[in-house]
Amino acid sequence: MAVVGGGPGGLYAAALLKRLAPDREVTVWERGAPDDTFGFGVVLSDETLGGIEHADPVVYEALKRDFVHWDDIDIVHRNTRQTSGGHRFAALGRRRLLEILHDRCHGLGVDLRPRTGAPPPDRLTETHDLVVAADGVRSATREAHRDVFRPHVTAHRCRYIWLAADFAFDAFRFEIAETEHGVMQLHGYPYAADASTVIVEMREEVWRAAGFDALDEAESTARCAKIFADALGGRPLRANKSAWTTFRTVVNERWSHGNLVLLGDAAHTAHFSIGSGTKLAVEDALALAACLQEQPTLGAALAAYEEERRPVVASTQRAAKASLEWFEDLDRYLDQPPRQFAFNLLTRSRRVTHDNLRLRDAEFTGSVEREFGCPPGTPPMFTPLRLRGLTLRNRVVVSPMDMYSATDGVPGDFHLVHLGARALGGAGLVMTEMVCVSPEGRITPGCAGLYTGRQGEAWRRITDFVHAEAPGTAIGVQLGHSGRKGSTRLMWEGMDEPLPDGNWPLVAPSPLPYKPGSQTPRELSRARLTDVREQFAAAGARAARAGFDLLELHCAHGYLLSGFLSPLTNHRTDAYGGSPEKRLRYPLEVFDAVREVWPAERPMTVRVSATDWAEGGTGAEEAVAIARAFAAHGADAVDVSTGQVVAGERPEFGRSYQTPYADRIRHEAGVPVIAVGAISSWDDVNSLILAGRTDLCALARPHLYDPHWTLHAAAEQGYDGPGAVWPAPYRAGSRPPRTGRTDAPRARLTLHERDQDA
């Protein structure tokens, strides 16, 4: 077996492969010397250490003797230090880690070949049963077969440099420096009793403005020490082949090719701000060795290795991306209150959450809650929010969900039960599905409408029920027009598929079908633009008479108004197409028309797709401009969704994956936002609200699973206050029911085996 690369991942893989089968011939090629290394300290988690202990106690015991441990994280910003404890870090010097792994490899009989370049990959694969490419982010082995592995390498917007200080920080330290050139940050942590890693990072434009691009290693090191003199206590920094670099995220479509397999940074990278590079490589080595033992063939083993590790790596990379983007956009949060800023930093990757942090450090989390304005014993999600004349008693929204269960646009008993049940379930705001402004504006024959008086009366029945039986719960209506995505089957019969018969003609900004096989819409003429605008206004007036508390204009997901906003769907050459300002014109005209008939004291929101997830489409920067424009016209909040604009989109799904777009709009456009998209737990809601990333959280599927999701969230957190009021008939259910037997006798005595034998 051949291992290319003598870093921690490659060495540990070699040691495990040899230990599990001593008759294997394992050779490690490494171009550098045994003690060559970049960086200084390595952080490993308890989970990773547990895996090492189980797989190789010798390595674990050697590591344990050299680890330094600490619990605290310090965040220093504007001369204020916030400390959070209970985080349990363990670190040691990277050079010492390599020494331990070298010693273990020597002891097991691994053939180590330092200062020796590996033979070409094709030669290795011919002469060895297995070749492990652990040769790092710039893997030559991977590049030799890039047509098979299909790597995607993404460079990011910050420059950073690895340095060290000859003293030990007493915590993991984040320090923010606001300089005349821009924001810079220090990441520091101890890795020995007398040494710490120090990483200095800043945006590329800040790095250039500060002149670092013209400085050599020694000059850069001295300059960083001067900028962060307070954090260092005036002490110097030292370098070790340190150079300013840009982090690159590596993703490969495949991890193996024949008997060649990628491991560690050759297969994937995760930003240093979540400390996962070495951790992932070591865990890769553990999984690869285990799969080789468990599977009957090499092919099966490599497939099992990738199947096991890929989801873990993908999750870590999503967390790392969220973390690195947080630091890239650090200046967005500088004006947050000190404790909220610290909480935001700690929860940036979404791996650390409100509940998790409360368990680690209840005092710190409590101080953040008090600064935020949470009354004693009140989770952040149960604090009120005022929008214009409407006060929502908590931050939970039942997201609009098309039910496709209306007849001739009239909501019936199903809608009464569906929306009524969720109103009784405790959410602060319950939203209808997209309610269409005309028969031609329906998505399917089952869509609800507000284009007739009968429909308005049916909605009034529902709003009356909510206001009478769930007092304190607001109900909102979402108005929209399907545009080119109309005249389709019910979702469960074929989503976005045209009706087999009974189709109605479609209209859109431009005559572009949604996907192959879809109906081609007619381009809206000037006269028809006026007609549709008046349909929206008439529906808004009916919504007001129907008793809705809030109105949302649907400008997302590729429906009619969204179609005007995206350059992928708006190819007009008149006053309503072309530049972003022209593409905004018609949606703003519709918004103004509805706002004019909508009662002044009631809030109005707008839902947007903040990205089309497609090349050439709307992106985050333009979404901020769109949000600003709607806010300037009187929108009280922006409901920030993404995608569904073009059929060929490539969304990056994951937990809370759309929240960063809401976060950006909230801070850059200065408008309240509603976050949506894979927010599934009350812990997520508390975390997002308390960090200041959103003002409200809209949840869809959780409310389909549990109509009383909000009340159950209150019960699970032990909260019983005005933010979550149980209806009187349901109050007996405000505590979780007991499950299983409770009358079994307790175990009082445990006998040792020899006592039992006796």
Side-chain angles (χ1 to χ4, degrees):
M1 294 185 171
V3 178
V4 182
L11 291 172
Y12 191 53
L16 288 175
L17 293 171
K18 186 68 173 176
R19 178 174 182 268
L20 291 172
D23 60 332
R24 286 172 174 154
E25 295 179 9
V26 182
T27 305
V28 179
W29 278 271
E30 170 54 50
R31 289 181 302 174
D35 59 350
D36 280 355
T37 183
F38 69 91
F40 298 92
V42 173
V43 180
L44 295 176
S45 68
D46 288 346
E47 181 181 40
T48 305
L49 291 174
I52 292 173
E53 181 180 20
H54 180 75
D56 194 336
V58 173
V59 171
Y60 175 77
E61 289 300 323
L63 292 172
K64 193 167 72 170
R65 287 191 293 270
D66 282 276
F67 269 126
V68 294
H69 298 268
W70 74 99
D71 286 333
D72 289 350
I73 296 177
D74 285 346
I75 296 114
V76 183
H77 171 46
R78 293 183 175 170
N79 301 315
T80 301
R81 180 171 69 176
Q82 304 293 331
T83 299
S84 171
H87 296 278
R88 298 186 63 185
F89 292 104
L92 81 166
R94 186 179 176 88
R95 184 166 288 159
R96 177 58 185 145
L97 173 61
L98 292 175
E99 289 174 358
I100 290 169
L101 294 174
H102 276 118
D103 289 345
R104 184 59 171 149
C105 285
H106 280 303
L108 291 167
V110 174
D111 181 4
L112 297 178
R113 301 187 182 182
R115 304 183 182 87
T116 306
D122 288 343
R123 190 185 309 168
L124 284 176
T125 56
E126 289 176 1
T127 57
H128 292 76
D129 297 299
L130 175 67
V131 179
V132 180
D135 48 345
V137 63
R138 294 178 174 81
S139 170
T141 315
R142 179 192 69 218
E143 291 303 304
H145 292 285
R146 66 176 296 114
D147 59 321
V148 176
F149 295 120
R150 293 190 291 277
H152 300 272
V153 181
T154 304
H156 299 284
R157 296 182 290 165
C158 281
R159 290 272 185 164
Y160 67 96
I161 188 170
W162 289 84
L163 302 167
D166 292 325
F167 72 95
F169 284 119
D170 56 6
F172 204 126
R173 187 179 182 103
F174 294 98
E175 179 136 349
I176 313 304
E178 296 178 66
T179 75
E180 60 183 317
H181 307 293
V183 181
M184 306 176 187
Q185 58 259 19
L186 174 148
H187 312 240
Y189 58 88
Y191 66 86
D194 58 354
S196 297
T197 291
V198 174
I199 305 169
V200 175
E201 183 184 25
M202 65 198 73
R203 287 278 288 265
E204 172 85 18
E205 61 268 26
V206 176
W207 179 76
R208 292 190 181 279
F212 280 109
D213 56 332
L215 302 183
D216 62 21
E217 179 186 73
E219 291 168 331
S220 285
T221 303
R223 181 81 178 279
C224 289
K226 183 177 180 181
I227 292 169
F228 292 101
D230 288 345
L232 302 170
R235 287 167 284 202
L237 291 168
R238 58 183 168 86
N240 173 28
K241 302 176 183 176
S242 302
W244 290 99
T245 189
T246 300
F247 189 82
R248 301 195 298 172
T249 297
V250 174
V251 176
N252 285 277
E253 293 186 21
R254 290 186 58 180
W255 290 7
S256 65
H257 172 47
N259 61 342
L260 172 62
V261 64
L262 305 179
L263 183 146
D265 283 356
H268 46 71
T269 60
H271 192 251
F272 59 81
S273 61
I274 65 168
S276 290
T278 301
K279 172 183 181 296
L280 287 176
V282 167
E283 290 174 351
D284 281 356
L286 286 165
L288 177 61
C291 290
L292 288 167
Q293 289 293 106
E294 296 162 355
Q295 299 298 325
T297 65
L298 177 63
L302 298 186
Y305 158 71
E306 183 169 346
E307 183 180 3
E308 175 183 337
R309 291 296 296 156
R310 187 177 284 278
V312 177
V313 168
S315 176
T316 303
Q317 287 187 315
R318 284 194 296 270
K321 182 172 184 270
S323 180
L324 78 86
E325 288 178 347
W326 194 94
F327 283 110
E328 285 181 341
D329 296 316
L330 175 60
D331 56 351
R332 181 183 299 163
Y333 309 108
L334 294 177
D335 292 328
Q336 285 189 312
R339 292 182 179 86
Q340 186 180 54
F341 177 86
F343 180 86
N344 196 354
L345 186 152
L346 292 171
T347 59
R348 67 195 181 277
S349 72
R350 302 191 285 276
R351 289 256 167 126
V352 176
T353 63
H354 171 264
D355 196 47
N356 179 269
L357 197 55
R358 186 165 52 84
L359 291 173
R360 299 183 188 198
D361 191 339
E363 183 178 349
F364 169 78
T365 307
S367 72
V368 182
E369 291 172 347
R370 288 191 296 274
E371 184 180 74
F372 183 78
C374 298
T378 301
M381 66 186 291
F382 293 115
T383 56
L385 179 72
R386 186 174 181 83
L387 294 174
R388 204 169 284 236
L390 176 67
T391 298
L392 302 176
R393 67 183 177 191
N394 62 53
R395 306 301 185 97
V396 179
V397 179
V398 176
S399 194
M401 294 175 279
D402 283 311
M403 294 290 105
Y404 306 114
S405 299
T407 301
D408 295 327
V410 179
D413 289 347
F414 178 91
H415 293 82
L416 175 66
V417 174
H418 167 68
L419 294 169
R422 280 141 192 88
L424 291 171
L429 173 63
V430 176
M431 293 296 300
T432 70
E433 60 201 89
M434 185 179 95
V435 176
C436 305
V437 299
S438 68
E440 301 80 16
R442 292 174 298 162
I443 306 168
T444 75
C447 286
L450 258 173
Y451 45 87
T452 70
R454 184 180 169 211
Q455 293 163 355
E457 291 168 3
W459 283 117
R460 183 78 205 202
R461 175 180 176 228
I462 294 169
T463 63
D464 283 348
F465 176 89
V466 171
H467 294 143
E469 302 299 335
T473 296
I475 181 166
V477 61
Q478 185 187 71
L479 287 186
H481 186 298
S482 62
R484 69 177 187 156
K485 294 178 74 176
S487 192
T488 62
R489 305 182 189 193
L490 303 182
M491 179 177 64
W492 46 88
E493 295 176 352
M495 187 171 178
D496 295 325
E497 292 297 323
L499 290 170
D501 53 61
N503 288 279
W504 54 86
L506 304 181
V507 294
S510 300
L512 304 169
Y514 178 62
K515 64 179 187 178
S518 296
Q519 184 184 154
T520 299
R522 296 195 314 273
E523 180 172 305
L524 280 164
S525 65
R526 289 293 188 99
R528 288 291 290 134
L529 289 172
T530 301
D531 292 342
V532 172
R533 186 182 68 227
E534 291 177 353
Q535 289 169 350
F536 270 97
R542 289 190 188 94
R545 293 194 296 272
F548 286 104
D549 302 298
L550 176 147
L551 186 148
E552 179 167 284
L553 189 65
H554 201 336
C555 297
H557 299 169
Y559 298 122
L560 182 70
L561 299 182
S562 170
F564 276 91
L565 293 173
S566 173
L568 298 178
T569 53
N570 183 346
H571 294 178
R572 300 176 73 99
T573 57
D574 62 2
Y576 296 102
S579 69
E581 294 76 17
K582 288 183 176 181
R583 297 198 308 273
L584 254 168
R585 180 172 293 168
Y586 186 67
L588 289 175
E589 286 182 3
V590 172
F591 183 92
D592 291 342
V594 177
R595 180 72 265 184
E596 186 175 349
V597 300
W598 185 245
E601 72 279 5
R602 299 187 208 177
M604 189 168 162
T605 65
V606 59
R607 173 169 276 204
V608 300
S609 286
T611 175
D612 293 344
W613 298 115
E615 186 177 351
T618 299
E621 186 174 341
E622 188 172 338
V624 172
I626 291 170
R628 281 199 185 105
F630 278 111
H633 282 245
D636 299 289
V638 178
D639 187 354
V640 186
S641 187
T642 64
Q644 301 179 53
V645 175
V646 292
E649 66 178 5
R650 299 188 66 178
E652 297 175 7
F653 292 118
R655 178 166 144 252
S656 306
Y657 71 105
Q658 296 178 146
T659 301
Y661 296 95
D663 185 0
R664 179 168 183 173
I665 286 173
R666 184 178 191 270
H667 285 89
E668 294 187 15
V671 60
V673 296
I674 306 169
V676 302
I679 302 170
S680 56
S681 72
W682 49 258
D683 193 18
D684 285 339
V685 176
N686 283 328
S687 301
L688 295 170
I689 297 295
L690 193 57
R693 297 186 191 123
T694 187
D695 299 278
L696 294 163
C697 289
L699 298 90
R701 288 177 178 85
H703 282 116
L704 292 178
Y705 182 77
D706 178 6
H708 292 82
W709 185 89
T710 307
L711 292 179
H712 291 158
E716 289 166 12
Q717 295 176 80
Y719 172 74
D720 183 13
V725 179
W726 284 78
Y730 287 1
R731 190 148 191 85
S734 61
R735 290 187 178 87
R738 293 180 177 181
T739 58
R741 287 184 61 186
T742 60
D743 60 343
R746 289 170 54 201
R748 305 301 295 160
L749 183 64
T750 301
L751 296 175
H752 293 291
E753 189 175 332
R754 62 185 181 188
D755 297 328
Q756 293 170 334
D757 291 342

